[in-house]
Amino acid sequence: METEYHMEKQELIIPMPKELDHHAAKTLGREIDFLVDSWQIKKLVLDFAETQFMDSSGIGVIIGRKKTMDLYGGQLQVMHLGERARQIFEKSGLLRLVETADSGEER
């Protein structure tokens, strides 16, 4: 799996896959960590615009990236949470851990 991304200065935006399950999670976390480390990213934004399914492995990817960004003194944000993704974020407590980048949304 090759991750497409957009980078400006020290901000990296990663579009999340349509299905964020254990298959995608295996390599996605490593790829993101490699990019963050290689380019000294200070702000990581995970874009959930296309994500329709996420299981516990997806939650693990987010928690792992939060730890990575904390380690580097950076910031993790999520954006474009659809209804399903938002429910998962709320029920799992992820909204208390990460910021949302969408306008009008608060943690």
Side-chain angles (χ1 to χ4, degrees):
M1 172 181 179
E2 283 196 30
T3 304
E4 293 185 22
Y5 55 87
H6 174 74
M7 190 171 82
E8 287 185 26
K9 298 182 184 177
Q10 289 184 307
E11 178 177 308
L12 177 65
I13 300 173
I14 305 275
M16 295 287 94
K18 185 175 182 178
E19 294 186 3
L20 185 49
D21 57 12
H22 70 281
H23 296 293
K26 278 184 178 181
T27 57
L28 185 60
R30 286 189 299 242
E31 287 182 31
I32 294 172
D33 287 347
F34 176 78
L35 294 171
V36 167
D37 184 47
S38 297
W39 292 325
Q40 301 173 344
I41 299 299
K42 293 299 179 192
K43 183 176 180 183
L44 174 63
V45 181
L46 304 178
D47 186 348
F48 285 84
E50 300 296 320
T51 305
Q52 296 179 359
F53 174 81
M54 185 170 81
D55 64 11
S56 60
S57 299
I59 293 170
V61 167
I62 296 158
I63 292 171
R65 300 317 54 88
K66 172 66 173 153
K67 289 179 180 180
T68 297
M69 294 311 294
D70 287 349
L71 179 68
Y72 288 105
Q75 174 186 18
L76 172 65
Q77 288 186 339
V78 295
M79 62 190 288
H80 301 133
L81 293 177
E83 185 177 332
R84 290 182 187 174
R86 178 165 292 286
Q87 288 175 348
I88 292 169
F89 270 69
E90 287 173 353
K91 290 178 181 178
S92 67
L94 286 174
L95 284 180
R96 292 190 303 263
L97 293 176
V98 299
E99 293 181 39
T100 58
D102 297 323
S103 61
E105 291 184 351
E106 298 294 323
R107 289 197 312 156

